[in-house]
Amino acid sequence: MAGTASRKRIGVMTSGGDAPGMNGAVRSVVRSAIARGCQAYGIFEGYEGLVQGGDLIKEMLWEDVRGWLSEGGTLIGTARCKAFYERPGRVIAAKNMVKAGIDALVIIGGDGSLTGADKFRAEWPELLKELVETGQLTAEEVKPVQHLNIVGLVGSIDNDMSLTDATIGCYSSLGRICEAVDNIDATALSHQRAFVIEVMGRHCGWLALMAGVSTGADFVFIPEKPPGNDWKDRMFSIIKKHRNLGKRKTIVIVAEGAHDMALNKITPTEVKDLLASELKLDTRITTLGHVQRGGNASAYDRMLSTLQGVEAVNAVLDASPETPSPVISIIENKIVRKPLVEAVRATQAVAKAIECREFDRAMDLRDAEFSEYNRTYLMTTETDQPELLLPPSKRMRIAIVHVGAPAGGMNSATRAAVAYCLTRGHKPVAIHNGFPGLCRHHADKPLGSVRDIGWLDVEGWANKGGSEIGTNRGLPSEDMETTAKCFSLYEFDALFAIGGFEAFTALSELRKARDTYPSLRIPMILLPATISNNVPGSDYSIGSDTCLNALVQYCDAIRQSASASRRRVFVVETQGGKSGYVATLAGLCVGALCVYTPEEGINIRMMHRDIEYLRQEFSKDKGQNRAGKLILRNEAASSTYTTEMIANMIRDEAKGRFESRFVVPGHVQQGGTPSPMDRVRAVRLAVKCIQHLESYAGIPKEKVVRDKNSAAVIGIQGVSVVIQDMEKLETTETNWKDRRPKNEFWVGLKETIDMLSGRPKAGDCCSECGKTRG
């Protein structure tokens, strides 16, 4: 590998439409390549730069990509290039690459860009042969670059590539849409208006569908699954029912490629006219346009682009001449490689299926998650679906409780659970203010803490932060007898808990108390919701993405201050308890110099090493922009080395050559409005939770207790959504002392942070002075 790495020159380019996160991917490819002993070359202006050559292909150094993580668009440019579509243009492009010595290309773009790249690779031997035969290059010049490796990263706000759950830029774009719809929501509510909102997506309805799920829209038009021929009557029926229930506003979202079953285009104007004429609603149109494309990348897109960039360089170095070109994908929470040709073929097949009016096939060709979200949206939006009602013997009284600190998405999950319950005929019951609220206030007059909850109660909760039913850290063990009596008194048939480690502990206590209290012998499930993301059984918790977005925005502002004064370091204290997840993921997203976590701790040698590295970095600073540095420290990383102490140590050791400050964002990290990712995942996972609970309907309690999955946690692990039994998680996967899982999936990401910041490894430094050896 070392021999391969030493000769590799890796080119990176962006092509097609720009997408937030592209700059993060370029930064990651450049720095990963350099860290692995390769040279990195930026190809400016997309394929046009490949054809034009000259100054549009140039080596990129470590400092060239400093500060790029927070920048929107693509700083190396993108342009359409007709010349590359023709063979003579590709011959010129090959010549320019050979002259630069580039034998690997990482392309960040959509399916068209990736198709062109793979074709370029297939033709490469013939192109080299032609260049030699025509005398444009010598055999000696082409000898070092006999094979071309191609790796694709998908940059697309539409999320229209198959074989991946998300593309770089899609969640940033969804965030713009949700923010706009949330703002429109307020004026629609005030005036009882209807709004028709057009979003991007010619052949892919992902943005429209996810915006509908995230904002609780009344109706959504997507190209893959057009409404039936009776769509007008169906839309009128749903909106009238919502209005009759007391809803004051109407939101309809239309993808720009929306059409009916006959492929006749459905326009926002047509929908507006129908709502105005048939339902007599004061209706307005909002076309969001390119505001969806611009702006800084969200935390998720920064994380995705960074990790995919690292994996792209790994794929280049792993490749042989026979290795098929990969595209770097993400499935649930795991970065994976997929065959590029297969992904492009499946993507293009969707458009062809739509064109042939094979809409079921179009949905099948999208990933399974897309179809699942569509079904979930329909089940939680239409209030009256008799065909989905369960028989009376299968209907349950399902208690919903929030436990622990508030987290963005709790209300979205509750809204989805209530809507699904009502669609199936269950009776959702809200327990207000957690288990202490249940025990102390259930019998309060005129309104107790145990209340039936209806569709209109939760209708407006999709975009609300915090906890509308109240949450509390108190545990059932504080008064287990009263807790059990209340379960019996209110005839709970199942329990749906939403919360963090306290909720996990609560479910553990309830499970163990089943032997003593028969009323607790009911199915119960936990949906992890905590900014700390420290619940065993899941790699992801509702609220963690909202937290990261809030923290990233905060750090961006801090970095701006640090960069304005150039020679300044900010030490930022993050929340997270004894889990370093928040600090680590935020560090990855903001390009932190280093991250201190409880898992690793802090010692004096580490401080020596990092202070010496800061000295070296600032000594090389010749007035560059974006020279400010960030260090992230988890609140419980060390009882000795506090955030203030670290900042003071850095300032004292700097001896005036640079400055240091410390900041504590505090509860800002709990976020306000939930992020789109937390909203859509809350909806999807909440419905799965209720489906799990209803599978026990009608089963005797004695049999329920014998089923280990009757007390469970839902989670995302690797590439799958899993439901795991509490007993197993309690005994084998929980670090009770530190309130976190024993095996945390993200721990290895600290190495990536260090690699991309250039932080030296402990073994490369003198243990006494911290200076790098050699």
Side-chain angles (χ1 to χ4, degrees):
M1 182 64 72
T4 303
S6 64
R7 69 171 179 81
K8 279 287 180 190
R9 291 188 176 186
I10 302 174
V12 59
M13 61 182 278
T14 54
S15 180
D18 64 294
M22 280 184 163
N23 292 318
V26 173
R27 169 186 177 269
S28 179
V29 169
V30 168
R31 291 198 169 180
S32 296
I34 294 170
R36 298 291 299 274
C38 307
Q39 289 176 278
Y41 282 77
I43 297 163
F44 289 71
E45 310 306 337
Y47 283 112
E48 184 68 27
L50 213 52
V51 174
Q52 294 293 332
D55 289 341
L56 295 181
I57 301 177
K58 54 188 176 185
E59 185 174 3
M60 298 191 77
L61 305 177
W62 191 272
E63 296 300 329
D64 292 338
V65 292
R66 174 191 279 176
W68 281 31
L69 259 176
S70 60
E71 296 289 333
T74 165
L75 293 173
I76 61 174
T78 179
R80 296 187 181 278
C81 181
K82 291 183 179 179
F84 192 81
Y85 291 133
E86 305 296 331
R87 184 180 172 88
R90 294 194 291 276
V91 171
I92 297 171
K95 180 180 177 181
N96 289 330
M97 286 186 62
V98 171
K99 289 201 164 194
I102 298 170
D103 57 355
L105 200 54
V106 176
I107 295 163
I108 309 158
D111 64 302
S113 303
L114 300 185
T115 301
D118 197 63
K119 183 175 183 180
F120 190 42
R121 183 194 182 189
E123 292 180 343
W124 186 255
E126 295 176 15
L127 297 176
L128 295 188
K129 183 180 178 182
E130 182 176 333
L131 287 167
V132 173
E133 289 177 349
T134 58
Q136 298 181 63
L137 293 173
T138 67
E140 201 63 32
E141 285 178 303
V142 302
K143 188 176 180 181
V145 289
Q146 286 296 304
H147 305 288
L148 174 65
N149 293 127
I150 296 288
V151 177
L153 301 183
V154 190
S156 167
I157 66 166
D158 293 334
N159 198 17
D160 54 358
M161 180 65 80
S162 297
L163 305 188
T164 185
D165 286 349
T167 57
I168 294 169
C170 70
Y171 273 101
S172 299
S173 180
L174 182 59
R176 310 273 184 279
I177 295 169
C178 290
E179 183 179 6
V181 176
D182 289 347
N183 292 336
I184 288 168
D185 214 50
T187 192
L189 179 73
S190 301
H191 299 277
Q192 298 194 58
R193 283 183 182 145
F195 275 84
V196 182
I197 299 166
E198 185 180 55
V199 302
M200 288 184 172
R202 282 175 298 177
H203 301 297
C204 181
W206 187 86
L207 284 174
L209 176 59
M210 294 304 167
V213 173
S214 299
T215 63
D218 297 87
F219 208 82
V220 171
F221 292 93
I222 60 174
E224 296 92 339
K225 190 73 171 175
N229 294 324
D230 62 342
W231 68 266
K232 296 174 186 177
D233 291 335
R234 185 171 158 222
M235 180 177 71
F236 296 154
S237 173
I238 290 172
I239 292 172
K240 278 197 280 189
K241 284 174 184 172
H242 289 178
R243 290 279 177 162
N244 290 337
L245 284 167
K247 190 175 182 181
R248 289 174 55 88
K249 57 187 171 60
T250 298
I251 301 291
V252 177
I253 297 178
V254 183
E256 61 180 335
H259 51 76
D260 62 18
M261 299 287 284
L263 300 183
N264 298 310
K265 187 167 178 60
I266 296 175
T267 66
T269 301
E270 180 183 6
V271 176
K272 170 195 176 272
D273 292 343
L274 286 168
L275 296 179
S277 61
E278 298 297 323
L279 298 184
K280 310 302 179 189
L281 295 177
D282 180 7
T283 309
R284 309 294 168 89
I285 294 174
T286 298
T287 300
L288 296 180
H290 281 73
V291 73
Q292 299 162 78
R293 189 180 291 283
N296 297 344
S298 66
Y300 181 83
D301 279 327
R302 297 187 195 195
M303 178 275 294
L304 180 65
S305 61
T306 298
L307 295 182
Q308 288 192 336
V310 172
E311 183 63 15
V313 173
N314 291 339
V316 165
L317 298 180
D318 290 344
S320 68
E322 296 76 30
T323 305
S325 298
V327 63
I328 310 302
S329 303
I330 185 165
I331 306 297
E332 297 296 356
N333 259 29
K334 189 174 178 63
I335 303 292
V336 296
R337 302 176 195 175
K338 296 287 186 178
L340 187 152
V341 173
E342 186 180 330
V344 169
R345 188 185 300 123
T347 301
Q348 294 173 344
V350 175
K352 192 168 289 186
I354 293 172
E355 188 180 328
C356 296
R357 293 190 279 185
E358 298 174 354
F359 302 118
D360 288 339
R361 174 169 162 73
M363 290 296 287
D364 289 341
L365 286 166
R366 292 283 182 222
D367 59 87
E369 189 183 74
F370 184 84
S371 297
E372 185 180 344
Y373 273 118
N374 186 57
R375 289 191 302 272
T376 299
Y377 171 74
L378 295 174
M379 284 189 293
T380 56
T381 301
E382 297 187 34
T383 54
D384 184 14
Q385 300 179 70
E387 71 278 9
L388 294 179
L389 280 173
L390 292 169
S393 62
K394 296 286 187 180
R395 298 176 190 176
M396 308 171 78
R397 280 178 60 82
I398 300 179
I400 302 172
V401 64
H402 296 178
V403 185
M410 278 183 158
N411 293 317
S412 302
T414 303
R415 176 186 179 276
V418 169
Y420 180 82
C421 282
L422 296 173
T423 298
R424 301 288 277 168
H426 302 305
K427 174 67 72 174
V429 182
I431 298 174
H432 287 253
N433 301 315
F435 287 104
L438 173 69
C439 294
R440 299 170 193 165
H441 303 291
H442 69 94
D444 287 2
K445 303 297 180 183
L447 197 62
S449 59
V450 180
R451 308 171 201 168
D452 290 352
I453 188 166
W455 184 85
L456 190 61
D457 296 323
V458 299
E459 188 281 321
W461 290 9
N463 61 357
K464 287 189 177 295
S467 168
E468 289 295 302
I469 64 172
T471 184
N472 196 297
R473 296 178 185 273
L475 297 172
S477 57
E478 293 173 13
D479 191 348
M480 186 63 78
E481 185 173 348
T482 303
T483 299
K485 284 180 180 177
C486 288
F487 272 51
S488 175
L489 177 65
Y490 294 101
E491 300 179 324
F492 296 152
D493 297 315
L495 176 68
F496 176 37
I498 305 170
F501 201 89
E502 288 86 358
F504 181 83
T505 305
L507 221 64
S508 172
E509 292 178 353
L510 292 172
R511 182 192 68 79
K512 293 173 181 175
R514 282 168 157 181
D515 290 341
T516 306
Y517 302 103
S519 63
L520 303 181
R521 296 168 190 169
I522 60 174
M524 49 188 75
I525 192 166
L526 167 64
L527 171 55
T530 167
I531 68 168
S532 303
N533 196 22
N534 62 338
V535 177
S538 184
D539 295 346
Y540 169 84
S541 297
I542 303 300
S544 59
D545 187 65
T546 301
C547 168
L548 288 174
N549 276 294
L551 189 53
V552 163
Q553 289 175 16
Y554 184 93
C555 287
D556 280 352
I558 293 298
R559 185 188 285 279
Q560 191 174 60
S561 171
S563 299
S565 58
R566 276 186 36 231
R567 296 173 176 272
R568 180 170 289 174
V569 181
F570 272 96
V571 185
V572 183
E573 181 173 294
T574 73
Q575 292 185 335
K578 289 293 186 71
S579 171
Y581 172 85
V582 171
T584 301
L585 269 290
L588 190 73
C589 294
V590 301
L593 179 90
C594 62
V595 172
Y596 299 134
T597 64
E599 287 81 358
E600 186 180 22
I602 308 174
N603 58 55
I604 191 64
R605 290 190 176 92
M606 190 183 295
M607 293 303 306
H608 274 160
R609 187 170 80 247
D610 292 337
I611 290 171
E612 182 57 34
Y613 180 57
L614 282 168
R615 284 199 195 101
Q616 293 172 10
E617 285 294 288
F618 281 117
S619 70
K620 293 185 292 186
D621 175 22
K622 305 301 180 185
Q624 300 105 316
N625 291 329
R626 309 184 183 100
K629 309 290 185 187
L630 292 180
I631 293 173
L632 271 60
R633 175 193 175 275
N634 167 278
E635 60 187 348
S638 170
S639 58
T640 302
Y641 296 98
T642 64
T643 305
E644 183 176 5
M645 181 181 180
I646 291 172
N648 290 339
M649 287 176 68
I650 293 171
R651 183 167 54 249
D652 289 347
E653 293 294 328
K655 302 194 184 306
R657 285 173 288 185
F658 52 91
E659 298 178 0
S660 178
R661 300 280 190 277
F662 77 95
V663 289
V664 182
H667 285 75
V668 165
Q669 297 163 78
Q670 290 188 359
T673 302
S675 73
M677 169 169 281
D678 280 334
R679 297 191 211 183
V680 297
R681 284 190 167 178
V683 170
R684 177 188 178 207
L685 296 176
V687 169
K688 281 183 173 291
C689 284
I690 304 301
Q691 289 171 338
H692 178 72
L693 293 176
E694 71 183 3
S695 69
Y696 292 91
I699 297 177
K701 288 187 173 183
E702 293 71 23
K703 192 172 181 181
V704 168
V705 171
R706 289 198 297 271
D707 185 340
K708 291 186 179 296
N709 271 344
S710 65
V713 176
I714 193 169
I716 294 174
Q717 288 195 327
V719 297
S720 305
V721 174
V722 295
I723 293 177
Q724 300 181 76
D725 71 88
M726 278 293 302
E727 186 175 358
K728 175 194 168 195
L729 293 174
E730 293 167 30
T731 54
T732 65
E733 297 190 25
T734 304
N735 177 343
W736 287 100
K737 174 178 171 288
D738 293 325
R739 292 165 50 87
R740 66 189 186 215
K742 286 183 178 177
N743 298 305
E744 296 171 296
F745 78 98
W746 52 265
V747 169
L749 296 179
K750 287 186 86 270
E751 292 183 12
T752 302
I753 295 171
D754 291 346
M755 179 184 72
L756 295 177
S757 73
R759 184 191 189 198
K761 295 179 180 178
D764 297 333
C765 300
C766 172
S767 60
E768 299 299 324
C769 67
K771 290 183 179 180
T772 306
R773 295 192 183 96

